[in-house]
Amino acid sequence: MAFKTEYLKEVMETVIKRNPAQPEFHQAVREVLESLEPVIIKNPKLQENGIIESLVEPERVITFRVPWVDDNGKVQINRGFRVQFNSAIGPYKGGLRFHPSVYEGIIKFLGFEQIFKNSLTGLPIGGGKGGSDFDPKGKSDREVMAFCQSFMTELSKHIGADTDVPAGDIGVGAREIGYMYGQYKRLRNEFTGVLTGKGLTYGGSLARTEATGYGLCYFTDAMLKDNGKSFEGATVVISGSGNVAIYATEKATQLGAKVVAMSDSNGYIYDPEGIDLAAVKQIKEVERKRIKEYLNYRPNATYTEGCSGIWSIKCDIALPCATQNEINEESAKKLVANGCYAVAEGANMPSTPEAIDVYQSNGLLFGPAKAANAGGVATSALEMSQNSMRYSWTFEEVDAKLKNIMVNIFNNTRDAAAEYGMPGNYAAGANIAGFLKVASSMMAYGVV
Ligand code: NDP
């Protein structure tokens, strides 16, 4: 799809010129601006007030050196990032990603998406994201701790419970959050809700671990039901075997589906009788091993090297929960050919623009990441509320709030798409619904 207005063409050209060699960021901006075009045409004040130009420029980008010492006594240097993208509706909020592929363009794409996602939750949180090119895989606990402490030593100068509240993402789970929170507390001598995804004994929220995967299924369930379908009896393929994938598998199964495949960055497992999630949890959460080990628990399952083949498995519903651009046009066509009727994104931007075109031109139901995976950040915002109140809700209370938020996100997404003449286009609906609240706050502030 191309831009119809000269104005947006120029904004996009400026983004590319100002942020060279950051294709993921360009991809995320283009996708959002294309669907905002009807809103921009209808509201000339947005252009007069430079709202779009402001929106695509982060409020602040922080890059820093992270020195630490490995188990051989050698000094290692990584690069740390925090992009504080937009604080129009609340403190910056968004995860930290530790993965060798991390560079400024990845953090900017994630931070930009986070603005709309956070707005969609209906909670008062702005958009940010951070991380490092550090790879926790294969490192000892001591090495991970040394890295996290060094990372937080710098990051602590830029964050705070009312300023910027990071959380986990790829490569950052309970262990990493614990080390970082401990270091923050030590440096600042304060016990505040500066990170979310904390352990339950020091301010974490029940159901935060499950929230993104469960939330994805609540959103998908609402989308399916609105279109006369359901998880009951459906065959589901889920990529990844990390936090989001594991809890998406758990909830989809509870809702009556059979999950038959999962993956990691080496390959995928196929278990036509349904994934044994206890085995996956043991391998991934306890032993931190490769998904291939699953065959030790279920010898009748198969393992295939390489990730993209997972999309050639026949399924009704596909839930990509690993990483960006994991479904390309070819994989999307395979899903369609095998009769898949719904794709909902647990990972951020897992479908390429060409893959999304394939879903939409073949009438698949498509739940875009910024709506479908917003349950994690929504529950993080609930963790912030509990920290501020010095109070804890029960698992059932948090889960009920999460479910309610996800159903509201689906309804708002559907209604915004219909209002702007694109019924059923939930990708456009999510961008529009998320944008309107942020834009209205930015207008209220004047030129800031
Ligand atoms: P984890 O680190 O827990 O798990 C990531 C999973 O994806 C692992 O199975 C990993 O395999 C696999 N993976 C990572 N990179 C690649 C790659 N390049 N190719 C193939 N597989 C890969 O991360 P999360 O589950 O937290 O995050 C998964 C996705 O969900 C990300 O896109 C993240 O941004 C998004 N997300 C996460 C939220 C959260 O609350 N955690 C909230 C909203 C979105 P391996 O172990 O081999 O690396």
Side-chain angles (χ1 to χ4, degrees), residues 95 97-99 101 109-110 114 117 129 135 137 167-173 208-209 211-213 239-246 263-267 284 289-291 307 320-324 326 345-350 369 373-377 380:
R97 176 176 292 191
F98 293 169
H99 192 272
S101 63
F109 116 63
L110 290 163
Q114 199 81 44
K117 181 187 308 194
K129 197 82 187 188
D135 187 0
K137 225 178 284 164
D169 190 78
I170 291 179
V172 178
R208 174 62 187 92
T209 306
T212 308
S239 63
S241 49
N243 172 266
V244 180
I246 286 177
S263 62
D264 63 18
S265 55
N266 292 107
K284 288 290 172 183
K289 287 192 175 156
R290 311 311 300 155
I291 198 73
C307 303
C321 294
T323 194
Q324 64 273 356
E326 53 170 313
E345 300 181 324
N348 283 310
M349 209 167 76
N373 74 20
V377 75
S380 277

Side-chain angles (χ1 to χ4, degrees), residues 138-411:
K139 304 284 190 305
S140 69
D141 284 352
R142 195 213 59 82
E143 288 177 317
V144 171
M145 181 178 72
F147 173 82
C148 288
Q149 290 181 341
S150 180
F151 183 84
M152 183 50 86
T153 300
E154 178 59 32
L155 188 68
S156 65
K157 298 170 191 163
H158 310 285
I159 61 175
D162 294 318
T163 310
D164 182 355
V165 184
D169 190 78
I170 291 179
V172 178
R175 174 182 61 169
E176 291 75 17
I177 293 287
Y179 292 145
M180 287 191 277
Y181 191 71
Q183 182 73 350
Y184 183 89
K185 197 168 70 59
R186 180 184 180 201
L187 290 167
R188 302 290 285 261
N189 196 21
E190 57 182 44
F191 199 108
T192 55
V194 69
L195 292 175
T196 56
K198 298 185 294 296
L200 295 177
T201 53
Y202 58 93
S205 173
L206 285 160
R208 174 62 187 92
T209 306
E210 294 83 354
T212 308
Y214 277 25
L216 169 67
C217 292
Y218 294 146
F219 178 95
T220 308
D221 190 47
M223 177 174 80
L224 291 169
K225 285 190 175 139
D226 206 55
N227 289 277
K229 296 188 160 28
S230 98
F231 268 117
E232 191 65 52
T235 299
V236 180
V237 165
I238 297 187
S239 63
S241 49
N243 172 266
V244 180
I246 286 177
Y247 292 96
T249 302
E250 186 163 287
K251 184 52 72 179
T253 309
Q254 284 171 13
L255 293 173
K258 182 162 78 171
V259 179
V260 295
M262 293 182 82
S263 62
D264 63 18
S265 55
N266 292 107
Y268 64 92
I269 48 164
Y270 174 52
D271 189 342
E273 280 162 26
I275 293 286
D276 175 353
L277 193 60
V280 175
K281 284 186 180 180
Q282 177 66 23
I283 296 162
K284 288 290 172 183
E285 293 186 332
V286 181
E287 297 169 12
R288 295 180 186 273
K289 287 192 175 156
R290 311 311 300 155
I291 198 73
K292 195 177 179 176
E293 303 282 326
Y294 185 80
L295 300 191
N296 296 335
Y297 295 80
R298 303 271 283 203
N300 290 336
T302 57
Y303 172 77
T304 310
E305 280 289 327
C307 303
S308 63
I310 195 170
W311 307 119
S312 57
I313 296 172
K314 188 171 166 48
C315 66
D316 301 310
I317 300 165
L319 302 177
C321 294
T323 194
Q324 64 273 356
N325 292 328
E326 53 170 313
I327 305 186
N328 61 14
E329 184 177 6
E330 194 192 331
S331 298
K333 284 182 176 161
K334 282 186 189 146
L335 287 170
V336 171
N338 282 329
C340 173
Y341 52 73
V343 178
E345 300 181 324
N348 283 310
M349 209 167 76
S351 310
T352 64
E354 297 76 24
I356 296 173
D357 285 346
V358 173
Y359 309 148
Q360 290 179 334
S361 57
N362 286 281
L364 268 68
L365 300 173
F366 173 54
K370 57 175 82 64
N373 74 20
V377 75
T379 308
S380 277
L382 300 177
E383 182 173 332
M384 288 164 72
S385 301
Q386 293 169 83
N387 291 163
S388 298
M389 293 189 290
R390 305 247 184 266
Y391 187 75
S392 302
W393 290 316
T394 62
F395 186 97
E396 289 71 24
E397 283 172 310
V398 180
D399 191 38
K401 289 181 202 299
L402 168 66
K403 190 168 181 185
N404 195 27
I405 289 169
M406 297 314 295
V407 172
N408 280 336
I409 291 177
F410 173 72
N411 291 339

Side-chain angles (χ1 to χ4, degrees), residues 13-20 22 26 53 56-57 108:
E13 277 163 20
T14 308
V15 167
I16 293 169
K17 207 152 75 188
R18 277 214 182 124
N19 305 276
Q22 298 184 357
H26 305 164
E53 291 90 328
V56 297
E57 185 63 25
K108 275 206 202 131

Side-chain angles (χ1 to χ4, degrees), residues 118-134:
N118 293 3
S119 168
L120 275 173
T121 66
L123 301 167
I125 38 179
K129 197 82 187 188
S132 172
D133 56 2
F134 173 75

